[in-house]
Amino acid sequence: MAAMSVHSTDIDSSFLGAETKVGLQIWCIENCQLVPVPKSSQGKFFSGSAYVILNTILLKDGNPEHNIHYWLGNDATEVDSAIASDKALELDVALGSCTVQYKEIQGQETEKFLSYFRPCIIPVGGVFSSGQGRSDSGAYKVRLLACKGDHVISVKEVPFSRSSLNHSDVFILDTESKIFLFSGCNSSIQERAKALEVVQYIKEEKHDGNCEVAAIEDGKFVGDSDVGEFWSVFGGYAPIPRDSPSFFQWQYDVSSVRLFWITIQGKLSECATDILNQEVLSRDKCYLLDCGTKVYIWMGRGTSVTERKTSISAAEDFLRSQGKSTESHLTVLTEGLETPEFRAYFASWAQTENPRLYEEGRGKVAAMFKKQGYDVKELPEEDCQPHIDCGGTLKVWQINGGKLSVIPVDKEMKLFSGDCYIVQYTYTDLERDENIFYAWLGRTSIMEDRVDAISHMIALANSTKGAPVLAQITEAKEPDDFFWIMQKLVVFKGGMSTRYKSFIAEKVITDDTYDGNKTALFRIQGTSVQNMQAIQVNQVSSSLNSSYCYILQTEATIFTWIGSFASSRDYDLLDRMLELINPTWQPISLREGGEPDEFWMALGGKAEYPREREIKKHVEDPHLFVCQSTKGDFKVKEIFNFTQDDLTTEDVFILDCHKEIYVWIGSHSNIKSKQQALNLGLKYLEVDILVEGLSWETPVYVVAEGHEPLFFTRFFAWDSLKSNMYGNSFERKLALVRGEKDKTEAHMRNSWKAYSPELNRNGSSRRSLSSNGTARSASPASGVSGLPLCPSNNWQFASSTPIVKNIFSRSSPSQSGSGFSTTDPSLSSGDTNLLQIDDDDEDANSLIYPYERVKVASEDPVTGIDVTKRESYLSKEEFGEKFGMTKRAFNRLPKWRQDKLKKQLHLF
C-alpha cells in the first residue's frame, strides 16, 4: 500500500510533523479529540483516560523506527478507547504504514512500553485535562503500592490496608515522613532492588529528596524500630495468611498457536496448517495469530485502511468472545515490519537485506530532519577507532598435537588457516591489568584442534589472576577489536599442526601450506595501518574485487594490483604488508584494467569478479537479553531500552550485537565455570532468538562483572563504580537510596574467577615493533610450551552443524598446576594478601648497590644481577629518595605502574 501523505485531510492535525521528532510523543483523548500531552506531564497516566504514544528512535542504518502504543485506562470509556485505537492506525498511515502498534491495558502493559517510563508508571484516578495544573494542596495522602517484576517493574496502588500485604509481592508504603519498603518472603532479590528504584523516584518526586527510607523484610520483626513503626501505621501487627494472593496474576502462553484469515466482512476463518510458514501469509489479506496471551494482527501491504480497521475490530471481538480482552497483549504488524517474537512462531522466515540502506538511508533521513528545521547533522559512519587500549602486551600459542607451542615474537602475526591459536592480550584499564583470551579457529582446521583450543584457552584463563575476557572466534568472522589488538596480521593457507598434516595425507589432499616460495594471492584489507591484514585467497581471477588491493606472488614476479575503488589508505596498507610478508620483494605495480597477460595466466585466466564498489553493511542495533538456564531449559527475555542498571549481579545476560555475542556473568549468578558461560553463548547462536540468521561462526565473548572491556561498555552509558560494588542488587540499591554508596564500592570481586595461587614474576622483556612505530611489550605470562592440558570430556564443539548435545555441562576442563606470571589488577595500598612482604625490612636482596651502578646504561654497571629487578638492589634510603615511597608501597602498585616509575628512573 502506498504511503499516505502526512498532509492528507484524513490525518489528524495533531500528527503533523510527528515523523520528524525523535523520542516520545504522547496524545490523550479529551472530549473525543486528540490533545497533545506536555512534556512535563508525560509518564503520568489517568485511569479514566485513553492515550496514544509514539516512540521514535534512529537506527544505526539511518532509518527511523516507530512504535505506536495506545494505552487504555481501566476506567476509560468505550468511546475513548475506540477513538484511541482508530487514532493509532491513523498515525500509522501518517508515518507511511511502517510502524508496529501495541494495545496497552492498564496493569497489563508490555515491558517495551514500561521501559519508556523508567523506573515505573503509577496510574492515578480521574481523567486527564489539558487545562489542569499541578495541585499539592491538602494533607499528604498515604499510599500503599504493590510492585512486581525483576527487570521492568509494574506498580499498582492497592487499598491501604494490612490485608493487602502478601508474601509474593514487594510493597511500598509512602507516608509523609518516611517511605517503607516491605519485601514479601517469596519475592526475588531483583524485584526488591527494582522496587527500590521506585522508592527513589517517589523520594525525589513527592518528598523533594528529603525523607527517610526503611527496608522491612517479611517475617523478621525482632529488635527493629522501623518494623514497629511500619506496623503501627496499619494499627498493629497481624500475621499475613500463607495463601494471600498476589496482585499480579501473570498469564502464560498456551502451547497451541492458531492462525486465522480475517475476511473483508470481519469474519475469522482458521487456516488449516500444521506448521506455519511465511508463504501462508498473502499480501492482500489480514490475519490473526492467536498465541494465548499474545495476539497478533498481520496486515499485508496490499490491504486498504478500511480492511485494517475491520481486522482490528474483528480481533477485539475475538478477544472478548474468548474472555481474554483484558489479559492478552494485542500487537498490530504490517508486512515487512514483523517483530522477532512474531517471526519465531513460523518454521521458516526469509532473511531480507538491503545493504544500500546503510549508504543511502542515512543521508536521506538526516536531510529530512534538517528540512523540518531540526538541528541534525549528517549521520556519522560507524566509529573506525579502536575500543580498547592497543598498547598492551601480546602472546600467541599454537595448538599442536594436543599441546601448546609458543609462537616466537617475529612470527606471532602470521597465522595459518589449517591451525588453531590462542592469543592472550594484556592491557591496563582503571589502573589494573586486564586480560583477554582469544581462541582463533582456522577455517580449515581439524575438529580435534578446535576442541583443544577452547579447553586450553579456558585453562589458561583459569590460571590467570583476575577475571579475563574469553572469546571464541573463527577465521573470516573476527571482531574488529581482534584486528586492532593484532595490529598487523597475515593469514596463510594450509597448516603446520601435526593433525592437519595427518588429515590431508590421509585424504590425499595437496598440501597448499604457504612456505614463502609458492605462488600465492593475498587480499589486503583494514581501515588503518594499526589494524591491517593480508589474507591469502584462492589464486584465481574470481578472488579479485575492485574495492581492494592485492599482492600476487609468482615464481618469477611479484605483482601488486590496485582495484579501481581502492583508496589512498589502501595503497599505504599495500606497501606496509609487502614489507611484512617479504621485505626483499620488488613488485610490479598494476592498476585494474592495465594487467599484462602474465598476470592473468598466473590466475588461471580471466574470469568475472565483483567490479562494483563494495557497500559497507550497516551494524545492527544491539539487543540485551536476560538468560535463564535450568536443567537444560534455555530461556531468554529481552530487556528493552536497556541501561547499565539492568545488568543485575544475580543474572546472566546476552548482548546480541549481531556481529558478535557477549555473555555477561553477574558476580552472584549461578554460572561458576567459564566453559558453562561460553556454552550459553553457543546455545544462543543455536536458538537464534531474533531470527536474524546468526552464523555458528559468530564471535562469542564471555565477560565477567567488574571486568568489562571498553568494546563491551561502549553499548551503555557506563559508570565503572557501579560495576565494582559489593553486595547483591538489593544491598547496592539500598545503599544508593540511602546515600551510602561508598559502603558498597569494591576494588575487585568476582565469584566465578579461578586462578592459580602460584604467581611467578617473568623477567622477559622481549618487544615487537607495531606498524605505527610504537613499541609493544610481550605478554607477562611465562612460557608454557607443551603444557599438558587435557580437554574436558563433556565439551561439545559448536561447528556449522548443530552437534552441541550437552550444552549445559557443569564440568570444567582439567586444570594444570602450572602457574602463570601475572600482576594483580586489584592490588591497592591496602591489599597485602597476595604479596608476602617482610614487615621489618623490605630489602629482599642481601646485596645492596648504589643507584648509579644498577641503572640502565651505567658507566660502571654491576654484573650478575637480575636486570628485571634493578630497583630491589637499592638501599631503603636511596629507594625512598628516588621513588618517593617505601619498597612495601612500591610492591603494592600494579605492575604497569611499577614499570612506568622504573622507566622514568632508567631502571627498566
Side-chain angles (χ1 to χ4, degrees):
M1 185 184 71
M4 184 175 288
S5 170
V6 295
H7 300 293
S8 170
T9 55
D10 295 329
I11 303 300
D12 194 296
S13 60
S14 297
F15 292 145
L16 295 179
E19 76 278 8
T20 64
K21 298 178 182 178
V22 177
L24 278 175
Q25 299 175 72
I26 303 178
W27 299 266
C28 185
I29 309 302
E30 182 182 14
N31 297 325
C32 297
Q33 299 294 320
L34 202 63
V35 176
V37 176
K39 290 286 186 183
S40 58
S41 298
Q42 291 186 1
K44 182 178 182 181
F45 291 88
F46 290 86
S47 60
S49 297
Y51 297 78
V52 176
I53 299 94
L54 170 64
N55 185 56
T56 301
I57 62 173
L58 280 180
L59 300 176
K60 287 189 175 182
D61 64 8
N63 291 293
E65 178 184 271
H66 305 291
N67 286 290
I68 298 174
H69 305 255
Y70 54 104
W71 186 91
L72 310 178
N74 289 336
D75 301 324
T77 66
E78 289 186 12
V79 173
D80 284 355
S81 298
I83 293 175
S85 176
D86 288 344
K87 291 297 180 182
L89 184 57
E90 191 176 306
L91 178 57
D92 172 65
V93 174
L95 296 171
S97 296
C98 61
T99 75
V100 178
Q101 303 161 56
Y102 301 87
K103 178 184 177 182
E104 307 286 352
I105 301 294
Q106 181 180 339
Q108 300 290 333
E109 296 89 352
T110 63
E111 294 196 352
K112 178 186 281 287
F113 177 80
L114 292 175
S115 71
Y116 303 148
F117 305 100
R118 292 175 183 251
C120 65
I121 63 170
I122 308 176
V124 296
V127 178
F128 171 83
S129 174
S130 55
Q132 68 185 7
R134 178 175 177 178
S135 176
D136 296 320
S137 60
Y140 193 88
K141 179 187 176 182
V142 176
R143 296 185 303 168
L144 182 63
L145 305 172
C147 306
K148 193 74 172 179
D150 288 350
H151 297 280
V152 177
I153 195 162
S154 295
V155 181
K156 294 181 179 179
E157 184 170 357
V158 298
F160 174 48
S161 169
R162 184 172 48 205
S163 60
S164 292
L165 301 175
N166 61 58
H167 298 296
S168 300
D169 301 329
V170 181
F171 294 86
I172 297 173
L173 177 61
D174 178 22
T175 71
E176 185 172 9
S177 60
K178 204 169 194 176
I179 302 175
F180 298 87
L181 180 79
F182 177 86
S183 301
C185 59
N186 295 326
S187 63
S188 68
I189 292 175
Q190 297 96 314
E191 286 180 313
R192 301 176 188 188
K194 272 294 173 185
L196 279 171
E197 294 182 11
V198 181
V199 169
Q200 182 68 28
Y201 170 76
I202 295 173
K203 179 180 177 181
E204 295 174 356
E205 290 293 314
K206 298 292 185 180
H207 301 268
D208 295 324
N210 297 314
C211 72
E212 294 184 50
V213 174
I216 312 298
E217 190 169 347
D218 184 9
K220 295 186 179 180
F221 308 126
V222 180
D224 193 326
S225 60
D226 288 334
V227 172
E229 187 178 352
F230 172 79
W231 287 109
S232 67
V233 179
F234 293 99
Y237 168 74
I240 301 173
R242 285 175 177 250
D243 56 353
S244 296
S246 168
F247 280 97
F248 304 88
Q249 301 299 326
W250 303 125
Q251 300 292 326
Y252 297 95
D253 285 354
V254 294
S255 56
S256 62
V257 176
R258 297 187 297 169
L259 181 67
F260 298 89
W261 163 46
I262 306 175
T263 68
I264 298 177
Q265 295 77 25
K267 303 298 183 181
L268 269 62
S269 175
E270 187 165 2
C271 300
T273 55
D274 296 327
I275 299 177
L276 295 180
N277 290 299
Q278 183 181 3
E279 292 75 17
V280 76
L281 301 175
S282 174
R283 70 185 316 271
D284 59 354
K285 294 179 181 179
C286 294
Y287 297 83
L288 183 145
L289 182 66
D290 178 17
C291 307
T293 58
K294 295 179 181 178
V295 175
Y296 299 89
I297 299 174
W298 184 90
M299 306 180 300
R301 285 282 177 183
T303 57
S304 66
V305 174
T306 301
E307 289 178 282
R308 299 182 182 198
K309 286 187 177 181
T310 300
S311 298
I312 294 174
S313 297
E316 295 284 5
D317 293 339
F318 172 79
L319 290 176
R320 280 191 290 269
S321 67
Q322 299 291 313
K324 302 190 298 184
S325 59
T326 60
E327 299 174 0
S328 295
H329 289 139
L330 177 62
T331 304
V332 182
L333 304 165
T334 302
E335 179 186 356
L337 298 164
E338 298 84 1
T339 62
E341 295 86 353
F342 177 82
R343 299 198 305 264
Y345 288 106
F346 291 76
S348 61
W349 198 274
Q351 299 294 321
T352 58
E353 290 184 0
N354 185 355
R356 293 193 177 276
L357 285 178
Y358 183 78
E359 189 172 75
E360 299 172 359
R362 299 173 72 86
K364 291 181 179 179
V365 172
M368 178 189 70
F369 278 81
K370 289 179 182 179
K371 186 176 180 181
Q372 295 294 334
Y374 294 92
D375 185 19
V376 178
K377 297 180 179 179
E378 188 71 24
L379 299 175
E381 291 291 332
E382 283 299 306
D383 192 354
C384 292
Q385 297 302 312
H387 295 287
I388 190 171
D389 171 17
C390 295
T393 59
L394 193 69
K395 190 162 189 177
V396 183
W397 295 267
Q398 180 196 3
I399 306 300
N400 194 1
K403 297 182 179 181
L404 292 178
S405 301
V406 178
I407 302 297
V409 176
D410 61 336
K411 296 182 179 179
E412 62 187 8
M413 302 298 181
K414 299 179 180 181
L415 309 181
F416 287 85
S417 290
D419 296 336
C420 295
Y421 301 83
I422 297 172
V423 176
Q424 178 187 6
Y425 182 67
T426 305
Y427 68 103
T428 299
D429 185 41
L430 297 177
E431 300 186 356
R432 67 184 180 191
D433 287 340
E434 298 284 9
N435 285 280
I436 303 175
F437 285 91
Y438 294 92
W440 187 89
L441 314 177
R443 294 297 295 271
T444 59
S445 59
I446 306 305
M447 182 61 68
E448 291 87 347
D449 283 347
R450 295 186 173 198
V451 173
D452 283 346
I454 302 299
S455 296
H456 281 309
M457 176 183 67
I458 293 173
L460 285 170
N462 286 337
S463 302
T464 302
K465 199 186 306 180
V469 174
L470 304 185
Q472 174 182 312
I473 62 176
T474 305
E475 180 193 348
K477 289 284 187 178
E478 298 94 341
D480 291 339
D481 60 86
F482 178 77
F483 290 137
W484 283 108
I485 285 171
M486 297 298 287
Q487 295 189 356
K488 48 190 177 182
L489 178 65
V490 184
V491 179
F492 297 108
K493 281 182 170 292
M496 306 296 289
S497 75
T498 54
R499 284 172 175 162
Y500 177 82
K501 296 293 187 183
S502 298
F503 175 79
I504 62 173
E506 178 183 342
K507 299 296 182 180
V508 194
I509 300 173
T510 302
D511 188 355
D512 60 354
T513 302
Y514 182 81
D515 60 6
N517 298 316
K518 293 182 178 180
T519 59
L521 179 66
F522 296 91
R523 183 181 67 244
I524 310 303
Q525 59 190 40
T527 62
S528 163
V529 295
Q530 296 172 314
N531 71 341
M532 54 185 180
Q533 308 101 49
I535 311 298
Q536 187 178 354
V537 296
N538 293 332
Q539 193 175 324
V540 292
S541 300
S542 58
S543 295
L544 298 176
N545 187 309
S546 297
S547 296
Y548 293 96
C549 295
Y550 291 79
I551 299 172
L552 174 60
Q553 176 186 359
T554 70
E555 294 180 359
T557 311
I558 303 296
F559 294 102
T560 58
W561 186 86
I562 299 173
S564 57
F565 293 118
S567 65
S568 57
R569 177 194 65 193
D570 297 322
Y571 309 160
D572 189 19
L573 300 185
L574 179 62
D575 292 338
R576 291 174 182 265
M577 293 311 295
L578 271 169
E579 183 179 355
L580 179 63
I581 298 175
N582 190 330
T584 65
W585 282 348
Q586 298 296 323
I588 298 174
S589 181
L590 305 175
R591 287 190 173 273
E592 184 176 5
E595 305 88 351
D597 292 340
E598 181 185 358
F599 176 85
W600 294 116
M601 289 177 59
L603 296 178
K606 288 186 178 182
E608 289 299 317
Y609 60 85
R611 296 175 184 269
E612 296 183 356
R613 182 185 297 276
E614 188 171 80
I615 299 175
K616 181 180 180 181
K617 183 180 178 182
H618 74 269
V619 179
E620 300 286 345
D621 286 66
H623 295 261
L624 182 68
F625 297 88
V626 61
C627 176
Q628 294 179 339
S629 176
T630 55
K631 297 181 180 179
D633 185 18
F634 180 83
K635 294 181 179 179
V636 297
K637 182 175 70 174
E638 184 164 8
I639 307 299
F640 298 99
N641 300 302
F642 61 84
T643 67
Q644 181 186 357
D645 290 335
D646 289 311
L647 299 175
T648 43
T649 186
E650 294 81 16
D651 294 313
V652 176
F653 290 83
I654 293 178
L655 182 67
D656 180 355
C657 302
H658 194 76
K659 291 176 62 177
E660 58 260 342
I661 302 299
Y662 298 89
V663 181
W664 183 91
I665 309 297
S667 298
H668 291 79
S669 73
N670 60 1
I671 301 297
K672 302 304 178 185
S673 79
K674 298 175 178 64
Q675 178 174 305
Q676 187 183 8
L678 185 59
N679 286 348
L680 289 177
L682 299 176
K683 182 65 176 179
Y684 179 85
L685 293 181
E686 177 189 358
V687 175
D688 194 11
I689 297 297
L690 295 177
V691 196
E692 55 187 332
L694 286 176
S695 166
W696 276 88
E697 297 178 344
T698 301
V700 176
Y701 285 91
V702 174
V703 177
E705 181 182 10
H707 296 267
E708 298 86 353
L710 182 58
F711 52 80
F712 173 84
T713 61
R714 67 192 176 100
F715 296 105
F716 303 80
W718 196 261
D719 181 354
S720 58
L721 294 180
K722 289 183 178 179
S723 64
N724 286 278
M725 297 177 71
Y726 285 119
N728 59 38
S729 297
F730 178 75
E731 292 166 340
R732 298 181 193 182
K733 288 284 174 63
L734 184 60
L736 293 174
V737 170
R738 289 175 169 174
E740 302 171 348
K741 183 177 180 180
D742 291 345
K743 292 185 179 180
T744 62
E745 291 183 4
H747 289 289
M748 176 179 131
R749 40 129 194 86
N750 194 282
S751 61
W752 74 297
K753 65 185 178 182
Y755 58 84
S756 171
E758 302 173 16
L759 304 175
N760 302 315
R761 297 282 181 181
N762 180 17
S764 173
S765 61
R766 63 185 178 90
R767 306 168 71 85
S768 62
L769 193 65
S770 69
S771 59
N772 61 353
T774 58
R776 168 183 272 175
S777 301
S779 170
S782 61
V784 291
S785 178
L787 189 66
L789 300 177
C790 300
S792 166
N793 293 329
N794 292 317
W795 169 255
Q796 299 291 332
F797 178 77
S799 68
S800 57
T801 304
I803 62 170
V804 182
K805 299 178 181 178
N806 195 11
I807 200 77
F808 296 105
S809 169
R810 292 183 178 274
S811 62
S812 58
S814 302
Q815 298 181 16
S816 167
S818 301
F820 293 87
S821 171
T822 58
T823 55
D824 186 358
S826 65
L827 210 55
S828 66
S829 58
D831 296 324
T832 58
N833 56 325
L834 295 176
L835 289 179
Q836 301 300 321
I837 302 173
D838 190 299
D839 290 334
D840 298 325
D841 193 347
E842 290 295 320
D843 291 326
N845 287 308
S846 58
L847 299 175
I848 302 297
Y849 296 102
Y851 168 76
E852 293 298 330
R853 295 198 63 194
V854 297
K855 71 176 183 179
V856 178
S858 171
E859 295 181 358
D860 182 22
V862 179
T863 58
I865 64 172
D866 184 351
V867 294
T868 67
K869 303 287 291 182
R870 295 177 186 270
E871 74 284 356
S872 65
Y873 298 95
L874 299 178
S875 66
K876 287 193 295 184
E877 294 76 16
E878 193 165 20
F879 189 97
E881 176 187 345
K882 297 296 183 182
F883 284 89
M885 65 182 73
T886 64
K887 289 187 177 182
R888 178 185 287 115
F890 175 82
N891 288 328
R892 289 171 181 163
L893 297 176
K895 187 175 183 299
W896 70 269
R897 185 176 289 177
Q898 294 179 1
D899 291 345
K900 185 175 181 179
L901 291 173
K902 288 162 64 175
K903 287 178 182 178
Q904 294 173 349
L905 294 170
H906 307 289
L907 293 172
F908 185 83

